[in-house]
Amino acid sequence: MKIGIIGGGITGLTTALAFQKCGISCTVYEQAPKLTTVGAGIWMQPNALKVLDWLEVGNAVRSEGLQLNFPDLTYKDLRSFRQTKSDLSKDESGNNIVAIHRARLQKVLFDALPKNTVKWGKEFKKLQVHENNVTAQFNDDSQTFDLILGADGIHSKVRKEIFSDTKLRYSGQTSWRGISNFQIPEEYSRKGIEAWGPGVRFGFSPISKNETYWFAVSKAPEGQSDPEGNTQKLLLNIFKEFDPLILDLISTTDKIIRTDIHDLVRLDTWHNNTVCLLGDAAHATTPNMGQGGCQGVEDAFYFATTLSACENPEDAFRKFEEKRRKKVDYVVNNSWRFGQMAHSKWGQKLAILMMKITPETTMKKQMQKLYQVDIVN
Ligand SMILES: Cc1cc2nc3c(=O)[nH]c(=O)nc-3n(C[C@H](O)[C@H](O)[C@H](O)COP(=O)(O)OP(=O)(O)OC[C@H]3O[C@@H](n4cnc5c(N)ncnc54)[C@H](O)[C@@H]3O)c2cc1C
């Protein structure tokens, strides 16, 4: 069977690795001319680490990143909303969140693939669906496949080719991300922090000994851009009442990426007879639960194992959706609600109150459910 994966991001590369593990061959077509070195950090949570361990790259990811032993929600002066007795973000096997540079994560995934699995500089343009196969047109040639997987992200062209009327939903919030070399105090060397102030949030964690990844979120009209060359000034003003460490992180960052926060309005289905969508292309979520990339990694595991157990691809597409829908819907909906609460005056007060009074056992149970992946080795 000839399988083409469009998009060599976290989802596309992990899916190729999962196919390799299941003895299925595939090729990844990525528009970028080579593996990128720019980007920001990302938190990979225990559900993703379970899959990465199954793919035998978990330890490489751990050693290229940093294991956080305490993600914490705080006030703007970095006082915790609540002290918990146990680390809620640890799973039953002891996996912690790993904070890692995105480019290093992609390199670990890429290095584990057989040579020539990824074709760089291949921009997907159009699809032609035939009765039993499908032709993809790229910037420089056309190729016919038995199956195409669209792992080309939130603005997926593959999705637009198979479903004409899909929509993104703007959250009313924009984000900035950066990596600073500022030496953070020892007490934060294994922590992930998200600090809340009126209508704004600032998160950070180390991703290596000398690098701290940070993100900032604020309400903003869709499509607005920063005044030319003045992003730092703008952020220093927005976060002027926050802990000085936050201001240090902003002012020592050279490259800051701004991204409006959207999710994808729920699709009725993720596939037609020869094409299936995975990761953000199928179910992009707002980043409030730090789960978008992790869900793409889970897709890789469930898709490859389901396809290898099914007689025909259409059965696999259907079964894959059955396995994934409930969790993906949970993540997309809760992440949306959490983001809306965090940026409204009363919503924020209510969210903090709920975090303070919810029993620790209930919180732990919710996290364990999120981290569940049905891997049988
Ligand atoms: C502020 C912010 C913070 C986040 N933090 C986290 C976090 O901590 N943890 C987490 O799990 N998730 C996080 N996410 C979400 C995460 O970034 C995404 O869910 C994840 O990157 C999706 O991976 P993907 O491979 O599906 O899509 P993408 O990462 O978008 O990758 C798609 C790939 O397809 C390629 N491509 C696109 N179009 C074409 C084309 N036409 N032809 C060929 N190639 C193409 C792109 O170049 C890219 O390489 C965050 C998101 C944001 C905005």
Side-chain angles (χ1 to χ4, degrees):
M1 190 166 14
K2 189 174 173 192
I3 303 179
I5 300 176
I6 312 292
I10 297 168
T11 305
L13 294 177
T14 316
T15 304
L17 270 177
F19 278 159
Q20 188 199 357
K21 172 106 184 173
C22 294
I24 300 170
S25 63
C26 70
T27 306
V28 178
Y29 298 86
E30 166 58 45
Q31 65 185 0
K34 58 182 172 58
L35 207 57
T36 168
T37 53
V38 291
I42 188 162
W43 292 359
M44 297 311 283
Q45 300 191 45
N47 50 325
L49 287 163
K50 286 183 171 111
V51 175
L52 296 170
D53 279 334
W54 176 73
L55 292 169
E56 296 167 49
V57 292
N59 285 338
V61 170
R62 286 182 189 90
S63 67
E64 285 294 323
L66 264 187
Q67 295 189 61
L68 305 180
N69 53 21
F70 206 87
D72 205 1
L73 284 162
T74 75
Y75 296 101
K76 57 189 178 191
D77 57 4
L78 304 185
R79 263 180 314 118
S80 302
F81 292 153
R82 163 184 189 167
Q83 299 290 346
T84 52
K85 287 197 198 86
S86 60
D87 183 349
L88 299 175
S89 65
K90 203 178 231 177
D91 75 359
E92 71 294 342
S93 348
N95 281 310
N96 289 104
I97 291 174
V98 173
I100 182 169
H101 195 297
R102 281 174 183 256
R104 281 174 214 139
L105 172 62
Q106 297 212 183
K107 183 161 184 335
V108 168
L109 300 173
F110 173 75
D111 285 348
L113 285 168
K115 233 176 149 203
N116 292 326
T117 302
V118 182
K119 307 285 180 210
W120 301 101
K122 298 292 281 190
E123 187 191 354
F124 165 79
K125 299 273 191 193
K126 270 195 162 318
L127 274 184
Q128 258 182 297
V129 180
H130 316 294
E131 200 172 320
N132 296 315
N133 54 28
V134 55
T135 301
Q137 192 190 314
F138 295 98
N139 50 320
D140 54 357
D141 69 356
S142 292
Q143 295 192 40
T144 298
F145 301 91
D146 298 301
L147 295 184
I148 282 189
L149 301 175
D152 50 343
I154 187 168
H155 302 289
S156 170
K157 269 192 195 155
V158 178
R159 184 179 69 233
K160 285 172 196 151
E161 286 289 299
I162 61 169
F163 304 124
S164 52
D165 62 346
T166 67
K167 285 192 188 75
L168 297 184
R169 170 171 66 157
Y170 183 52
S171 64
Q173 296 147 26
T174 199
S175 68
W176 294 265
R177 284 173 284 175
I179 293 175
S180 158
N181 295 118
F182 185 76
Q183 205 60 46
I184 53 170
E186 181 60 27
E187 65 179 298
Y188 296 110
S189 64
R190 292 279 168 176
K191 275 190 179 180
I193 298 285
E194 185 174 307
W196 288 14
V200 291
R201 291 181 285 159
F202 191 97
F204 65 91
S205 79
I207 51 170
S208 72
K209 243 179 147 216
N210 304 312
E211 297 162 305
T212 298
Y213 157 61
W214 59 262
F215 57 89
V217 186
S218 173
K219 281 188 176 177
E222 188 174 12
Q224 193 184 56
S225 45
D226 294 338
E228 184 78 31
N230 272 325
T231 302
Q232 272 175 330
K233 204 168 149 198
L234 175 84
L235 290 174
L236 289 171
N237 188 42
I238 295 176
F239 292 97
K240 61 177 183 284
E241 287 172 10
F242 278 59
D243 189 276
L245 174 57
I246 284 171
L247 305 180
D248 285 334
L249 288 172
I250 296 169
S251 49
T252 52
T253 302
D254 296 331
K255 188 168 172 21
I256 299 176
I257 309 164
R258 179 171 172 162
T259 317
D260 279 352
I261 297 179
H262 294 90
D263 70 8
L264 176 65
V265 174
R266 192 179 189 278
L267 304 180
D268 292 335
T269 178
W270 296 334
H271 66 91
N272 67 14
N273 55 337
T274 44
V275 182
C276 187
L277 304 172
L278 301 176
D280 272 17
H283 46 67
T285 173
T286 52
N288 306 305
M289 287 171 71
Q291 273 287 332
C294 300
Q295 291 305 306
V297 171
E298 277 200 42
D299 278 358
F301 165 74
Y302 283 106
F303 189 84
T305 49
T306 307
L307 185 66
S308 73
C310 282
E311 289 281 312
N312 71 67
E314 256 191 286
D315 262 4
F317 291 174
R318 193 176 37 75
K319 286 191 178 148
F320 165 69
E321 273 198 49
E322 278 167 20
K323 288 181 191 171
R324 294 290 294 132
R325 274 291 182 172
K326 200 169 160 201
K327 186 161 187 185
V328 163
D329 285 348
Y330 170 83
V331 169
V332 172
N333 295 335
N334 277 289
S335 182
W336 178 269
R337 267 196 293 272
F338 190 75
Q340 295 304 309
M341 283 177 92
H343 288 268
S344 94
K345 189 175 166 195
W346 294 107
Q348 201 177 80
K349 286 189 197 307
L350 184 64
I352 294 172
L353 178 70
M354 276 161 56
M355 280 181 243
K356 283 183 173 172
I357 62 171
T358 306
E360 205 169 310
T361 46
T362 309
M363 286 165 109
K364 186 100 195 159
K365 252 191 218 153
Q366 283 167 353
M367 296 312 287
Q368 295 310 313
K369 207 169 145 202
L370 183 65
Y371 294 157
Q372 173 72 31
V373 184
D374 303 319
I375 294 180
V376 182
N377 281 306

